[in-house]
Amino acid sequence: MNKADGRDPPTPGNGWTNKDVPLMMYPQTQDGQVHLYQCHRRYIHTSHGWSRTGSACPNDAVAAASSGHKINHDDEAKVVRSLISQLSEKYYAKGWMPGTGGGMSIRIGSGTADDPFAVFSTPSGIQKEDMVGDDVFEQDIDQNVITPPITPGLKLSSMNNIWFVVYNLRPSTRCVIHTHSMYAQLATLLDPSEQSDIFQITHQEMIKGVGNHAYDSMLAIPIIDNQRSENLLAPDIEKVIQKYPKCNAVLVRRHGVYVWGDSWEEAKTRLESFDYLFETAVKMKSMGIDPGVVPKKKNADASTDTIKCKENRAASKDVTIDDTIEPSKKRKRTDTELKNSKELTQTIDSEIMQYA
Ligand SMILES: [Zn+2]
């Protein structure tokens, strides 16, 4: 884009692309940014699901739904590139992608001849707060580079093959995010022996945010050991995904976390919920409270428990609560069961199997 159309060119850090932006795309943005959140939420139709962008655009949900219009690949690619650069910038600001660490990837397309998969991902060694959309790589599902970054000298990330491990093993996955969040890596050290291969936390409201879990579910996330190079993590991530077919996150000890979802919104929601829980767990541990132990409940009110059981059943299809058991007795029995560390360990695998 240039001054000829009366607009200032986009600048690094604003998340937009260096390329000319077609006029029909511009109304989706303000000041060069696709707006992730605003009062008038409109959506554009990506190949799989609706994504928030801006408003008053021919590609918004209302217009698309009435006309049957489908955004073409090039326009969708611009939005995805912009989205990746904006989310990276936001996560840099949160301290989750410091010092060029971390990255993310989004996949679009259907995997058909007419609409092949296209994978967009952050390059290696880039300042995440200073990315533009044109710094993003586009690859096909076989990892061939379709569109390299316009910015000279950028290389594929060392986490590149990890994106594809997830996409290939989880065909519904559309977005993978990797952070070097302080609390994610500290959460792998709650077991001082560093032998644990499971992070666990229960009885936290934000557990609901990861999907298919209730407040009092036991959330369990696999932990793998770090390697000297990021790409060497791929085999262990592959093993974990195959062992736990429904898990949607892997912690890497003394390193960070990988999270994925069936849309970028889902991956983002999970990532933020997980990180909140990691911080909670680390702080609980420093307070002398084990985040993975069911809290003792004094003077349990049976009527309150009954309400909670019903809420939980509604919130989670996978969590089975036997409401034929009188709630206060059920609570007492659960405490007794979970005090037995041997039984607790045996439940972890099934818990990871449950979450999706
Ligand atoms: Zn990393």
Side-chain angles (χ1 to χ4, degrees):
M1 183 161 48
N2 54 48
K3 279 278 189 181
D5 62 4
R7 301 191 188 104
D8 290 330
T11 54
N14 279 343
W16 193 238
T17 167
N18 285 326
K19 290 179 181 175
D20 287 348
V21 180
L23 287 175
M24 68 173 286
M25 296 294 292
Y26 196 79
Q28 297 175 348
T29 72
Q30 290 179 11
D31 301 326
Q33 286 207 39
V34 173
H35 279 220
L36 299 178
Y37 304 101
Q38 61 178 34
C39 54
H40 300 292
R41 287 186 173 177
R42 295 296 182 98
Y43 305 79
I44 62 149
H45 187 223
T46 60
S47 297
H48 292 267
W50 298 93
S51 289
R52 289 183 198 92
T53 52
S55 61
C57 169
N59 290 329
D60 72 26
V62 176
S66 59
S67 69
H69 170 78
K70 183 180 181 304
I71 189 170
N72 67 42
H73 173 87
D74 289 348
D75 287 347
E76 185 175 9
K78 285 191 176 75
V79 174
V80 170
R81 287 169 178 277
S82 181
L83 185 58
I84 288 176
S85 61
Q86 286 179 60
L87 286 174
S88 297
E89 184 179 353
K90 288 176 187 295
Y91 291 154
Y92 171 84
K94 290 175 75 70
W96 294 357
M97 294 186 177
T100 78
M104 67 174 294
S105 172
I106 292 177
R107 169 167 66 168
I108 64 173
S110 307
T112 62
D114 292 340
D115 186 24
F117 288 128
V119 174
F120 296 84
S121 52
T122 49
S124 174
I126 196 164
Q127 309 289 331
K128 297 298 189 301
E129 76 280 24
D130 197 33
M131 277 181 60
V132 293
D134 286 338
D135 294 335
V136 171
F137 275 91
E138 179 184 353
Q139 296 169 271
D140 66 17
I141 199 62
D142 297 319
Q143 302 193 36
N144 300 307
V145 174
I146 303 301
T147 309
I150 289 177
T151 307
L154 293 178
K155 297 177 181 173
L156 283 172
S157 163
S158 59
M159 63 199 80
N160 193 62
N161 56 343
I162 297 175
W163 311 137
F164 286 88
V165 164
V166 180
Y167 289 139
N168 286 322
L169 294 178
R170 294 294 174 78
S172 62
T173 295
R174 291 282 157 186
C175 178
V176 190
I177 308 175
H178 171 50
T179 77
H180 287 184
S181 154
M182 178 63 72
Y183 286 111
Q185 63 109 346
L186 289 179
T188 67
L189 303 175
L190 297 182
D191 169 15
S193 73
E194 301 191 34
Q195 299 302 305
S196 172
D197 56 4
I198 297 293
F199 164 87
Q200 53 191 306
I201 188 168
T202 186
H203 285 71
Q204 283 292 324
E205 179 66 15
M206 283 299 288
I207 289 177
K208 294 177 182 174
V210 307
N212 286 336
H213 277 64
Y215 153 81
D216 54 0
S217 298
M218 179 67 73
L219 173 67
I221 300 175
I223 302 173
I224 61 173
D225 285 324
N226 198 22
Q227 302 286 344
R228 296 184 73 180
S229 175
E230 191 100 29
N231 63 327
L232 298 178
L233 295 171
D236 284 344
I237 290 179
E238 186 171 347
K239 283 180 198 165
V240 163
I241 292 175
Q242 288 173 332
K243 183 176 180 182
Y244 305 115
K246 290 187 175 181
C247 91
N248 47 41
V250 176
L251 280 161
V252 185
R253 205 181 317 274
R254 294 175 177 262
H255 181 155
V257 66
Y258 281 83
V259 180
W260 52 89
D262 290 353
S263 66
W264 68 267
E265 294 97 329
E266 187 175 71
K268 177 178 182 291
T269 301
R270 283 178 180 159
L271 174 67
E272 292 165 4
S273 301
F274 280 137
D275 206 87
Y276 178 97
L277 293 167
F278 297 151
E279 180 174 356
T280 300
V282 169
K283 290 182 174 175
M284 285 177 74
K285 185 79 172 182
S286 71
M287 295 163 67
I289 304 170
D290 187 334
V293 170
V294 175
K296 290 180 180 176
K297 194 172 185 180
K298 293 181 180 176
N299 304 320
D301 181 324
S303 61
T304 303
D305 266 7
T306 302
I307 294 170
K308 181 183 289 183
C309 282
K310 289 179 179 175
E311 286 178 348
N312 287 344
R313 193 170 59 243
S316 174
K317 290 178 288 190
D318 287 341
V319 176
T320 304
I321 298 171
D322 184 357
D323 58 3
T324 62
I325 299 171
E326 194 272 316
S328 58
K329 289 180 182 173
K330 168 71 176 174
R331 177 67 55 209
K332 189 182 294 180
R333 194 179 69 171
T334 302
D335 281 349
T336 304
E337 286 174 352
L338 295 178
K339 278 178 185 171
N340 185 323
S341 61
K342 185 178 177 183
E343 288 186 17
L344 178 60
T345 302
Q346 289 171 345
T347 66
I348 297 303
D349 276 4
S350 63
E351 291 286 350
I352 294 179
M353 294 288 286
Q354 280 184 2
Y355 86 81

